[in-house]
Amino acid sequence: MTSPQAKPLVEISDLHLSYTMQRATIQASRGASLTIAPGEAVGLVGESGSGKSTLARALLGLNDPKSTRIDSGSIFVDGTDVTRFGERDWRVLRGSSLSMVFQDPLSFLNPVMRIDRQIVEAIPKSMRAEGVSERVDDLLRLVKLPQAARRSYPHELSGGMRQRVLLAMALASKPKLLVADEPTTALDVTTQAEIMDLLGELRQRLGMAMLLISHDLGLVSKACERIYVMYAGRTVEWGPGSSILKTPAHPYTKGLFDSARALRLPNGLFATIGGDVPNLAHKIEGCPFRMRCPLAMPKCTTMSPATQVLGQDGHWVRCWAAQDSGIAPAQGNDVKNA
Amino acid sequence: MRELFQRLAGSPAGFIAGGFILLLIVVTIVVPLVHSVNPMAISGNALFPPSAQHLLGTDELGRDVLQLLIHGVRVSLSVGLLSALVASVLGVLIGAWAGYFGGRIDMFLMRVAEIFQVLPTFVLAAVIVAMLGPGTTRVIAVIAILAWPQIALVMRSEVYRVKQIDFVDAVRCLGYSEIYILIREVVPNALRPVVALGTLIVGQAILIEASLSFLGLSSPDVISWGGMLNSGQRYLFNAWWLSVLPGIAIFLTVLAFNFIGDALNAALNPKDTGR
Amino acid sequence: MWQYFLKRVFWSIVTIFVIIIVNFVLIKLVPGDPVHAMIGDFPAPQDYIDQLRRDFGLDQPLHVQLWLYLGNLAQGNFGFSFANRQPVLDLILGRTVNTLILILPAIVFSAIIGIALSLAAASRGGGFDITVSAITLFGYSIPVFWLGQVLVLIFAIVLGVLPTSGMYSLRAPQSGFGAFLDLLRHMVLPLACIMAFKIAVFSRTARASILGVLNSDFVMTARAKGLSRGYTLWRHVLPNAVIPVIAVFGYQFGHALTSSLLVETVFAWPGVGQLFVTAVGQRDFPVLQGILLLSTILVVVANVLADLLYTIVDPRIRRSLGARHA
């Protein structure tokens, strides 16, 4: 229906993924679906432990191949199914189409290697013809880092500068998609704004798509055209940023908004979502959010909510309450967003 | 803890190592009771190679090597087990105190441990035994004194970790004294890594005892594997069994303790066993 | 950072002082006349005994005696070995070079082999990892002197390819490459014994530190850049993993010294170890105490050097020492 006009750059459909940690099996993705069109900015929102980082890493094949398994579903990148990719195939893809920046820029940089060397490594062989040093200059200019930073070690730079270094490395291969996993969480507010501005500017200039992952709905809604909300390993609501902002349909999304706006309740307390994210090591029957949901009903305990569309602009939700309260017209159950 | 040992006994190698140690212990206790042959008994055949009559040959005085080996278990095991035990008790007490109460004792412990880590401990042990004279008790004391800081350091950090866990605060709210909490609640929960390290120290101690005896630092009237190696080295070229066999006995015994110690360690921190 | 370094130097001096006190106390604890402990089991001339009593103030209060003892050590008077008819200090220093010839290559080669093994285990995983664990376990369990005897039996007696003992052959050239080759042939077996344990220690340390580094975030960054596993191990994991291994170099030095002590006697290698074992047999106490003190000093110095090396290798510390770079 509202499928993106062009062929999607990334298409994740009903992904189920699990990994083992200390003999426990964690089902980190339990039906996650997501599409990104070329050049599009997409946000992925959820609390920590909702499986959003694992999903992002699965998109780049960065989860430890020995302990992680894709149980079902598929990931298409640029029309190619990457679910069965080996490490060698991934390496080619990461060196060209896909790049990623991470949350804590200090620990994600090698502490005993100079900045320029780390950036040079990220430049693909095919782009080294026109001179590696010049390319490093370009990249530093692109992320607005002074040339003096070249010979520094990571610990000598500020948090914002380190994040720019990570960004420069990510841009070195001229990727079609930049995945930014909580890129500003470790930074102070001013630096946060600078990095977000830079991200937006670079995206425009380079025409690349971006997947921005954050727990901060406000931040994401400013920077992204479409937003996915993730809970307990599955995408529970998605659609255009404006539509989700105006009419959030899933009770979880509403809860996120209320806590993001620091909404003061009549009793004087700040609104928060009560309870904890469910343990992803356990099997969950029905809707995973029902334990914390103000609108939970008997049906939610037994049946997993179907996916349904809200309106014509590609706004989707997975919630029984959203349907029964009459917000949404009933729809077929097996619809996927594509 | 019990579950840990069960898992250990479940693996074939762990079973063999544990069984071997049990066998040694039984030999130490039982053989002197039922066996009337004097291992020091001298037969006419000196330096006799392994044969049907003397399964592992005889030494330069015509004593049966198998008999000597069986009687040598006693020294190796008692030195290994007792010095590890003494070191562990010392280390647990001092480490627990330092980790729980901190302060001066803690500072002192850290400094002492630092010094012990740098010292050439074996040379020190050898000089002490050489000057004060050999003797099993003395050797046990020296090894224990040199080994306790390892235990104390581990105990200290474990106790420090455990005391931060909420349940300790909960117990404190019940009004028990600090000493009571330390002994009844914190120490039992911090002992597991100590058991693993203690097992490794048994192996170290057996090696140190054997090395000291090899240097000639054991009393000549006590049969020990290291002592056998010491007297055997003169006959290395014409009676290989005098050197090779006691060495194998030492090696296997230390290997068994080290194996179990490693396995206990691995079971305790599944993270650093790697993938 | 300098403060940390000075602190380490201070504690090194304390360590040496502790050993001096231990020596002093041991002299007092030896049953019988302390003069006997300062001479050893050897008939000494009455003149020398009287001189010792005077020099060390043996009839004076304990603290005066300790003061005199320290004063004598400070002047390099470590006592006299009647068994060897030589001052203890000269005797030990004369042998030190031969021991260092064994220890230093043993440490360097073991470090390289140990780190290489762990790196291979990390890159292959599976079977290789088990092999490394087995090597470590065996290295920690073998009595080194016994390993020496077995190696002599195999390589020198049965196969006859290597010399059984000593440092030089009588018929070998006295200088030049031939002499060096001859020394190497004599070194192989004792070196192998010392290294058997050292490799175990190094691969255990290196394995722990490599596993730690492999779990760090910047390895994920390297993967995200599309770098190969081999390159990542070599350029990112190795440099970070080697740093903590270097930090324990001084400590390794002490271990190697102990192994050398036990191995030299098996191979009749004319180093400090052989001197030590002979002194044990002769109850030559001044030599034993001298070796204890000097080996402590050696180990302590090695530790301080390892600290220095550490600060040079790790840019985080190096830069804070320089403190000029922004």
Side-chain angles (χ1 to χ4, degrees):
Chain A
M1 307 171 55
T2 49
S3 58
Q5 294 76 13
K7 204 179 84 180
L9 179 61
V10 169
E11 188 173 5
I12 301 177
S13 329
D14 198 28
L15 187 73
H16 286 74
L17 177 151
S18 56
Y19 59 87
T20 48
M21 199 172 73
Q22 296 190 12
R23 296 194 195 93
T25 302
I26 315 282
Q27 274 187 276
S29 290
R30 305 168 173 228
S33 302
L34 182 150
T35 47
I36 305 169
E40 189 188 23
V42 172
L44 182 58
V45 186
E47 289 164 285
S48 45
S50 60
K52 51 191 194 316
S53 282
T54 309
L55 183 63
R57 284 172 190 187
L59 181 53
L60 273 85
L62 284 179
N63 292 307
D64 187 346
K66 279 177 211 146
S67 55
T68 315
R69 211 181 68 215
I70 293 181
D71 301 313
S72 66
S74 63
I75 305 175
F76 278 83
V77 175
D78 238 353
T80 318
D81 184 2
V82 299
T83 11
R84 302 261 165 270
F85 260 27
E87 191 62 22
R88 206 170 289 265
D89 310 312
W90 276 120
R91 213 182 297 145
V92 175
L93 203 60
R94 291 184 210 128
S96 56
S97 311
L98 306 176
S99 282
M100 186 159 178
V101 291
F102 301 91
Q103 177 172 0
D104 177 5
L106 182 56
S107 67
F108 279 94
L109 287 169
N110 183 341
V112 302
M113 194 187 268
R114 288 181 204 274
I115 297 304
D116 53 353
R117 180 73 224 163
Q118 299 197 46
I119 296 178
V120 166
E121 279 184 344
I123 303 172
K125 296 245 157 46
S126 55
M127 296 183 192
R128 294 191 183 184
E130 62 255 43
V132 170
S133 183
E134 287 74 11
R135 183 87 183 103
V136 174
D137 281 353
D138 289 347
L139 287 165
L140 288 177
R141 226 172 290 127
L142 207 56
V143 298
K144 298 176 179 154
L145 268 177
Q147 291 293 322
R150 288 183 76 132
R151 303 296 292 162
S152 307
Y153 288 96
H155 70 277
E156 296 165 338
L157 303 177
S158 69
M161 287 168 93
R162 285 180 205 136
Q163 192 53 272
R164 285 163 202 263
V165 173
L166 274 183
L167 201 51
M169 292 180 349
L171 298 176
S173 59
K174 301 183 179 164
K176 294 179 189 162
L177 171 72
L178 175 70
V179 178
D181 186 2
E182 305 260 9
T184 59
T185 309
L187 306 174
D188 63 75
V189 184
T190 339
T191 324
Q192 209 168 356
E194 282 172 28
I195 294 288
M196 287 314 295
D197 288 348
L198 180 65
L199 273 175
E201 187 191 324
L202 286 173
R203 207 173 64 73
Q204 296 289 326
R205 251 171 86 181
L206 306 175
M208 66 182 175
M210 176 172 77
L211 178 64
L212 176 65
I213 297 157
S214 177
H215 61 279
D216 185 345
L217 194 55
L219 186 95
V220 170
S221 61
K222 261 179 247 155
C224 299
E225 294 146 12
R226 286 195 310 124
I227 295 177
Y228 286 79
V229 179
M230 196 159 179
Y231 188 79
R234 75 173 66 177
T235 36
V236 293
E237 181 170 12
W238 57 94
S242 53
S243 175
I244 290 201
L245 215 59
K246 245 179 284 161
T247 55
H250 199 286
Y252 177 61
T253 316
K254 286 178 195 155
L256 277 181
F257 263 119
D258 291 348
S259 46
R261 292 189 194 120
L263 186 73
R264 218 173 252 273
L265 300 174
N267 59 12
L269 295 171
F270 285 109
T272 52
I273 308 173
D276 288 320
V277 181
N279 187 342
L280 290 181
H282 302 315
K283 197 167 154 32
I284 303 168
E285 296 279 347
C287 173
F289 188 61
R290 63 171 198 276
M291 286 81 88
R292 302 165 75 185
C293 182
L295 306 176
M297 47 188 138
K299 196 179 183 179
C300 303
T301 330
T302 49
M303 282 160 72
S304 192
T307 310
Q308 48 194 307
V309 75
L310 306 166
Q312 296 306 304
D313 55 354
H315 187 160
W316 298 74
V317 71
R318 275 180 170 180
C319 176
W320 293 126
Q323 178 188 28
D324 291 0
S325 61
I327 302 173
Q331 278 282 337
N333 285 358
D334 54 349
V335 188
K336 286 184 194 122
N337 64 316
Chain B
M1 203 83 238
R2 184 171 305 142
E3 153 228 8
L4 246 166
F5 280 110
Q6 272 168 2
R7 198 182 309 150
L8 203 62
S11 82
F15 186 77
I16 294 173
F20 184 66
I21 291 173
L22 269 182
L23 176 76
L24 290 181
I25 293 175
V26 169
V27 163
T28 319
I29 298 170
V30 173
V31 167
L33 297 179
V34 298
H35 202 75
S36 55
V37 179
N38 180 7
M40 299 294 229
I42 297 170
S43 79
N45 308 321
L47 296 180
F48 218 67
S51 64
Q53 197 193 347
H54 297 285
L55 276 179
L56 302 179
T58 62
D59 73 354
E60 72 276 16
L61 298 175
R63 296 176 297 188
D64 185 88
V65 171
L66 180 61
Q67 293 288 334
L68 291 173
L69 279 181
I70 288 175
H71 283 263
V73 179
R74 178 174 282 255
V75 170
S76 283
L77 265 197
S78 54
V79 169
L81 292 174
L82 286 176
S83 47
L85 185 72
V86 176
S88 300
V89 170
L90 269 179
V92 163
L93 289 178
I94 299 172
W97 190 276
Y100 195 76
F101 295 107
R104 286 234 181 99
I105 296 212
D106 195 25
M107 296 266 290
F108 179 73
L109 171 68
M110 295 302 285
R111 292 286 92 81
V112 170
E114 218 164 90
I115 290 177
F116 270 75
Q117 222 157 41
V118 174
L119 286 183
T121 36
F122 179 76
V123 187
L124 181 55
V127 170
I128 293 175
V129 176
M131 291 189 71
L132 301 186
T136 310
T137 325
R138 203 163 285 157
V139 170
I140 291 173
V142 169
I143 296 177
I145 287 172
L146 295 177
W148 71 266
Q150 300 178 50
I151 298 266
L153 277 188
V154 169
M155 190 66 193
R156 172 187 175 272
S157 60
E158 268 304 292
V159 164
Y160 190 77
R161 185 183 65 78
V162 172
K163 86 168 181 187
Q164 321 248 334
I165 302 175
D166 289 341
F167 86 91
V168 175
D169 279 334
V171 176
R172 195 171 285 144
C173 292
L174 297 176
Y176 289 113
S177 74
E178 294 289 324
I179 294 279
Y180 179 88
I181 297 172
L182 174 60
I183 294 172
R184 293 300 300 271
E185 303 293 335
V186 176
V187 169
N189 281 292
L191 274 182
R192 292 172 57 155
V194 169
V195 174
L197 182 57
T199 315
L200 292 175
I201 288 182
V202 176
Q204 285 178 27
I206 293 175
L207 270 187
I208 292 178
E209 189 278 326
S211 306
L212 288 175
S213 304
F214 175 72
L215 293 186
L217 292 170
S218 67
S219 13
D221 46 340
V222 174
I223 303 167
S224 75
W225 294 342
M228 291 171 74
L229 283 173
N230 177 46
S231 51
Q233 64 178 323
R234 265 163 287 159
Y235 309 98
L236 182 61
F237 300 145
N238 33 24
W240 56 267
W241 57 94
L242 291 185
S243 294
V244 172
L245 299 178
I248 291 178
I250 298 170
F251 174 57
L252 290 181
T253 310
V254 178
L255 190 66
F257 279 105
N258 279 347
F259 182 85
I260 291 182
D262 272 358
L264 286 175
N265 246 336
L268 288 177
N269 337 299
K271 261 175 292 172
D272 41 78
T273 49
R275 282 163 287 182
Chain C
M1 184 58 219
W2 279 117
Q3 211 182 353
Y4 164 79
F5 196 69
L6 285 177
K7 224 163 121 188
R8 289 298 301 250
V9 172
F10 172 74
W11 283 108
S12 305
I13 294 170
V14 171
T15 308
I16 295 171
F17 194 73
V18 165
I19 285 298
I20 292 175
I21 301 284
V22 167
N23 271 342
F24 180 74
V25 171
L26 277 176
I27 292 175
K28 300 289 151 203
L29 284 183
V30 169
D33 191 343
V35 159
H36 171 71
M38 300 176 77
I39 296 172
D41 262 3
F42 222 81
Q46 192 58 40
D47 286 359
Y48 182 71
I49 293 176
D50 292 342
Q51 191 201 332
L52 266 188
R53 285 193 202 282
R54 237 178 303 117
D55 284 357
F56 287 87
L58 291 183
D59 47 357
Q60 300 194 34
L62 218 54
H63 66 272
V64 179
Q65 290 188 29
L66 179 60
W67 187 245
L68 289 170
Y69 184 73
L70 288 175
N72 273 296
L73 284 181
Q75 291 167 23
N77 180 11
F78 281 53
F80 191 86
S81 165
F82 280 93
N84 293 283
R85 309 225 157 265
Q86 227 183 333
V88 169
L89 190 60
D90 298 355
L91 190 63
I92 300 174
L93 289 182
R95 300 289 195 98
T96 305
V97 176
N98 291 347
T99 294
L100 289 181
I101 286 179
L102 278 186
I103 291 182
L104 294 180
I107 295 179
V108 173
F109 291 138
S110 317
I112 295 171
I113 295 174
I115 293 170
L117 276 177
S118 333
L119 206 61
S123 68
R124 298 265 187 82
F128 218 98
D129 212 21
I130 292 172
T131 317
V132 171
S133 304
I135 290 175
T136 321
L137 195 60
F138 276 64
Y140 271 94
S141 308
I142 279 195
V144 279
F145 49 93
W146 176 71
L147 179 63
Q149 296 179 324
V150 173
L151 289 183
V152 165
L153 280 176
I154 296 173
F155 286 95
I157 312 281
V158 179
L159 299 177
V161 287
L162 288 167
T164 55
S165 66
M167 233 174 133
Y168 305 102
S169 313
L170 285 173
R171 280 166 299 161
Q174 294 297 303
S175 60
F177 187 67
F180 178 66
L181 218 62
D182 182 50
L183 177 63
L184 276 190
R185 275 170 46 82
H186 283 84
M187 272 174 73
V188 172
L189 292 183
L191 207 57
C193 289
I194 300 176
M195 282 173 62
F197 178 60
K198 289 275 80 184
I199 289 175
V201 177
F202 271 114
S203 40
R204 175 168 285 198
T205 324
R207 186 170 169 278
S209 94
I210 286 175
L211 282 178
V213 175
L214 274 177
N215 284 327
S216 35
D217 292 333
F218 62 82
V219 172
M220 170 90 73
T221 310
R223 288 179 67 204
K225 284 178 187 173
L227 301 176
S228 73
R229 185 158 174 86
Y231 181 91
T232 307
L233 278 173
W234 187 249
R235 285 304 303 255
H236 289 277
V237 177
L238 185 61
N240 281 283
V242 159
I243 290 172
V245 177
I246 288 177
V248 294
F249 244 89
Y251 174 61
Q252 308 285 8
F253 191 84
H255 276 223
L257 207 66
T258 300
S259 302
S260 190
L261 213 76
L262 290 164
V263 167
E264 282 177 19
T265 170
V266 174
F267 294 95
W269 185 269
V272 179
Q274 205 198 23
L275 182 66
F276 187 84
V277 177
T278 322
V280 166
Q282 295 170 331
R283 295 173 62 75
D284 194 351
F285 296 146
V287 170
L288 292 183
Q289 294 209 316
I291 290 177
L292 175 58
L293 181 53
L294 278 182
S295 54
T296 307
I297 294 175
L298 264 181
V299 173
V300 161
V301 169
N303 263 295
V304 173
L305 287 181
D307 266 10
L308 260 182
L309 193 62
Y310 183 79
T311 57
I312 291 169
V313 175
D314 191 333
R316 283 161 294 190
I317 302 173
R318 189 202 319 154
R319 289 293 175 96
S320 68
L321 278 177
R324 266 179 299 274
H325 271 268

